């Protein structure tokens, strides 16, 4: 059973020569916008192997010379694949770390004996405890110092690095705001080890990295930018779409303390190692026509013309030969004969993605429609990772499928219980206890005792404490009730509402269990029961919480198993991927776009508002201050505006989808 199919999804096939140029001349041409040497790999595992190979070579060379290899290490999630590969080489290939000296790049401050979130503990768990590094060769800042002792401690930490001969290498990830180690925006290029206040975005990333609900402390003791830049070699890693924007700013942007990672541009041996997803905003990947000749696919032509429209602030049908020639797209004129021909081709392609009939229009010519007309009505399964992603991501389309007569099922894949605040539990328990007092004369002892038990627990609960199983169950019930209310509002029968409660989610912590066969079998059972003609599944592969991706992999694995088994219903089924509140599909990839009127957008908002526990008090709103319904509306309106700006029909809002063809 294949459990990671989402990692194999490639929407835009990038030519090999743009990722791995054959000659130094070719590399010089395609990377001319890049100010830091950058290695791109198809996957994080391959990138990790490359870094591990470089480090192993240096470590073995120093062993041959009988000298230490001094390295500063970060602890973020992006370094885990590298650590895993180094551990594998130690266990399987005999790579020893006896001559390696490790400096922890940062530690949280202030800490006490009871602090769970320690950077050095994470480094030990992920790497140090699995190899033969000598304990006396491991150094870390001390987060338990008094504030008065911090400055001297940082000075001594710098001196200890110098006493070891300086850093031979630094291995770090990069944060979403351009921080490396804990050098936050505003850090200057000459900064050394010091105490620094951690930005809220970085703290949230670090909390997610630990996988606990305990927030990290507000400050950090970190090696400085000057310390990092004195290292002989620097490796910075990033994986996934969520890092694409900051990678582009780091590699192609101007040097600025607003993005401390841009200081890497001043180093003579720094290297950024990323996967294709993280590289997706680099010029050679997203706008290759600006650096080299292209092999023009339909998607690349669409991407180029949309970009040209934005540069010239014109709709597609107003682009001229001059516009093409002045902006590096003369190849398209040779390919199509004129701007007019290219304009018409892409205009029609985009026009055909728009449909008011997401389930197909019955008794109509479907030649240019994204969905087939028959069969009608269709059996539809909408998979929702959390109990509100269905309405947040495709609430307008969901409502329209029901209104147009299709047999719609909604499958909520996880309970969503950790995303409910304690005050919601208190509110519901007050209601249950009051109901028992008013209508049962306090006769129900279970309610009375459970009310007291939960009230006592919540009163004593400390930040970071895990909920009891009873409380998690109540939180799950709250979300089930909200989901049922939203489905009823959208006229979906309650016997078509399925709560799968996939086991991987039920860890009680932010960090989930691995998604496995048990999760896939639950999805399989539902699909074989419904035998759908349409499946809708989350496509948020850069979901910051990770749950969406695991849920998607569970569905894709179930579809893969159905394909292997030759299951008949799959032959007449199409799979559509939606995106949520975080991002929208790139327009060159959109294959179906469903418009919404102002009234339909308002109905979608009301559907989202049925999930009251996910409004102002939701634990995982992130650093975006907008509520989920606001994010969804802004995203849908932005998609409609993009179509409007290109000269197509003007709608209030639009929801976009990409078709998944089973691999």
């Amino acid at each position: 059973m294949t459990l990671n199919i989402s990692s194999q999804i490639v929407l835009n096939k990038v030519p090999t020569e743009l990722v791995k140029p054959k000659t130094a001349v070719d590399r010089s041409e395609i990377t001319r916008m890049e100010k830091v040497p950058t290695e791109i790999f198809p996957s994080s595992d391959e990138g990790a192997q490359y870094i591990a190979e470089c480090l192993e070579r240096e470590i073995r060379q120093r062993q041959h010379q009988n000298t230490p290899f001094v390295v500063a290490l970060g602890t973020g999630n992006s370094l885990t694949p590298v650590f895993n590969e180094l551990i594998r080489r130690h266990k399987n290939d005999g790579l020893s770390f006896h001559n390696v000296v490790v400096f922890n790049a940062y530690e949280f401050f202030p800490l006490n004996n009871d602090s769970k979130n320690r950077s050095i503990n994470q480094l030990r768990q992920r790497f140090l405890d699995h190899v033969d590094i000598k304990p006396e060769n491991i150094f870390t800042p001390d987060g338990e110092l008094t504030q008065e002792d911090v400055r001297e401690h940082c000075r001594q930490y710098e001196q200890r690095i110098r006493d070891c001969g300086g850093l031979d290498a630094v291995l770090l990830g990069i944060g979403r705001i351009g921080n490396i180690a804990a050098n936050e925006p505003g850090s200057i290029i000459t900064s050394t080890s010091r105490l620094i206040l951690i930005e809220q975005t970085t703290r949230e990333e670090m909390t997610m990295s630990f996988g606990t609900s305990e927030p990290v402390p507000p400050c950090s003791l970190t090696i400085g930018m000057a310390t990092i830049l004195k290292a002989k070699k620097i490796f910075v890693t990033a994986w996934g779409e969520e890092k694409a924007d900051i990678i582009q700013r780091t590699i192609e942007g101007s040097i600025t303390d607003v993005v401390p990672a841009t200081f890497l541009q001043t180093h003579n041996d720094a290297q950024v190692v990323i996967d294709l997803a993280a590289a997706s905003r680099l010029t050679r990947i997203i706008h290759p026509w600006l650096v080299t000749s292209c092999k023009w696919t339909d998607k690349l032509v669409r991407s180029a013309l949309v970009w040209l429209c934005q540069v010239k602030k014109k709709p597609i049908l107003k682009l001229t030969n001059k516009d093409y020639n002045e902006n590096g797209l003369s190849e398209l004129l040779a390919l199509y004969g004129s701007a007019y021909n290219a304009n018409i081709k892409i205009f029609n392609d985009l026009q055909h993605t728009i449909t008011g009939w997401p389930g197909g229009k019955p008794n109509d010519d479907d030649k240019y429609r994204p969905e087939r007309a028959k069969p009608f009505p269709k059996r539809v399964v909408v998979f929702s990772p959390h109990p509100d992603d269905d309405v947040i991501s495709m609430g307008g389309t969901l409502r329209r499928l029901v209104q147009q007569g299709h047999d719609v099922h909604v499958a909520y894949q996880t309970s969503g219980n950790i995303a409910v605040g304690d005050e919601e539990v208190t509110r519901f328990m007050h209601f249950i206890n009051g109901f028992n007092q008013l209508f049962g004369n306090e006769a129900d002892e279970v309610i009375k005792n459970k009310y007291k038990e939960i009230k006592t627990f919540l009163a004593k609960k400390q930040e970071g404490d895990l909920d009891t199983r009873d409380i998690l169950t109540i939180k799950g019930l709250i979300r089930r009730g909200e989901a049922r209310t939203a489905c009823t509002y959208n006229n979906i029968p309650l016997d078509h509402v399925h709560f799968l409660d996939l086991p991987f989610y039920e860890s009680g912590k932010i960090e989930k269990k691995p998604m496995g066969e048990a999760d896939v079998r639950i999805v399989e059972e539902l699909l074989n029961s419904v035998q759908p003609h349409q499946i809708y599944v989350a496509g948020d592969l850069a979901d910051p919480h990770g749950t969406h991706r695991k849920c998607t992999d569970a569905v894709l694995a179930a579809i893969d198993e159905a394909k292997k088994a030759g299951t008949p219903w799959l032959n007449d089924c199409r799979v559509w991927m939606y995106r949520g509140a975080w991002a929208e599909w790139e327009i060159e990839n959109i294959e179906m776009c469903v418009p919404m009127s102002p009234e339909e957008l308002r109905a979608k908002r009301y559907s989202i508002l049925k999930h009251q526990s996910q409004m102002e008090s939701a634990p995982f709103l992130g650093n975006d201050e907008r509520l989920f319904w606001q994010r969804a509306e802004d995203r849908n309106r932005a998609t409609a505006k993009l179509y409007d700006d290109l000269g197509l029909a003007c709608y209030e809002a639009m929801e976009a989808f990409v078709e998944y063809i089973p691999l």
Side-chain angles (χ1 to χ4, degrees), residues 22-126:
K22 295 179 180 179
T23 68
V25 173
D26 291 341
R27 174 174 287 277
S28 176
E29 178 183 33
I30 68 167
T31 63
R32 63 176 180 266
M33 300 289 193
E34 298 169 18
K35 303 166 187 175
V36 182
T38 304
E39 293 293 334
I40 304 172
F41 293 89
S43 69
S44 59
D45 287 342
E46 292 172 82
Q49 290 170 18
Y50 170 80
I51 296 175
E53 178 66 33
C54 294
L55 293 174
E56 178 177 1
R57 189 164 50 247
E58 292 292 330
I59 291 170
R60 291 189 184 277
Q61 181 179 345
R62 296 304 178 91
Q63 289 171 355
H64 182 72
Q65 299 169 350
N66 198 28
T67 57
F69 180 73
V70 184
V71 59
L73 298 177
T75 59
N77 282 332
S78 58
L79 299 183
T80 299
V82 183
F83 292 153
N84 289 342
E85 177 61 18
L86 289 171
I87 293 168
R88 188 197 67 77
R89 289 171 184 247
H90 169 68
K91 293 181 177 179
N92 298 345
D93 303 335
L95 174 60
S96 174
F97 293 83
H98 71 268
N99 68 319
V100 175
V101 178
V102 169
F103 283 88
N104 185 18
Y106 59 87
E107 184 55 273
F108 303 114
F109 182 91
L111 296 175
N112 55 53
N113 289 330
D114 298 328
S115 297
K116 299 176 183 177
N117 288 351
R118 292 173 182 263
S119 175
I120 188 59
N121 289 349
Q122 191 176 33
L123 188 55
R124 291 185 189 278
Q125 293 164 6
R126 294 186 175 182

Side-chain angles (χ1 to χ4, degrees), residues 65-224:
Q65 299 169 350
N66 198 28
T67 57
F69 180 73
V70 184
V71 59
L73 298 177
T75 59
N77 282 332
S78 58
L79 299 183
T80 299
V82 183
F83 292 153
N84 289 342
E85 177 61 18
L86 289 171
I87 293 168
R88 188 197 67 77
R89 289 171 184 247
H90 169 68
K91 293 181 177 179
N92 298 345
D93 303 335
L95 174 60
S96 174
F97 293 83
H98 71 268
N99 68 319
V100 175
V101 178
V102 169
F103 283 88
N104 185 18
Y106 59 87
E107 184 55 273
F108 303 114
F109 182 91
L111 296 175
N112 55 53
N113 289 330
D114 298 328
S115 297
K116 299 176 183 177
N117 288 351
R118 292 173 182 263
S119 175
I120 188 59
N121 289 349
Q122 191 176 33
L123 188 55
R124 291 185 189 278
Q125 293 164 6
R126 294 186 175 182
F127 178 52
L128 300 179
D129 288 348
H130 305 279
V131 295
D132 61 341
I133 292 178
K134 298 175 182 177
E136 62 267 27
N137 284 350
I138 299 171
F139 301 99
T140 182
D142 186 354
E144 293 188 30
L145 294 171
T146 63
Q147 196 162 337
E148 292 75 18
D149 295 331
V150 163
R151 181 172 295 183
E152 177 61 19
H153 176 70
C154 290
R155 188 195 66 77
Q156 291 176 1
Y157 202 64
E158 291 280 335
Q159 184 60 50
R160 181 158 291 180
I161 293 174
R162 289 192 291 270
D163 291 344
C164 290
L167 296 173
D168 294 305
V170 174
L171 174 59
L172 298 168
I174 180 172
R176 282 182 289 166
I177 55 176
N179 52 298
I180 53 175
N183 291 282
E184 299 290 284
S187 298
I188 59 175
I189 196 170
T190 57
S191 60
T192 56
S193 296
R194 68 202 186 283
L195 177 66
I196 189 170
L197 183 69
I198 306 175
E199 291 272 357
Q200 182 61 28
T201 301
T202 306
R203 290 182 68 201
E204 289 174 359
E205 280 189 293
M206 291 173 170
T207 300
M208 299 295 292
S209 176
F210 276 99
T212 70
S213 57
E214 179 184 355
V216 301
C219 299
S220 174
L221 301 175
T222 182
I223 60 174

Side-chain angles (χ1 to χ4, degrees), residues 385 413-414 501-509 511-516 518-519 546-552 554:
Q413 293 176 267
T414 70
D501 289 342
L502 297 185
F504 84 84
Y505 185 86
E506 299 303 320
S507 66
K509 302 185 293 185
E511 186 176 14
K512 306 301 182 294
K513 304 172 188 176
M515 190 278 292
D519 303 289
T547 299
H548 281 210
R549 186 162 192 159
K550 290 181 179 180
C551 287
T552 298

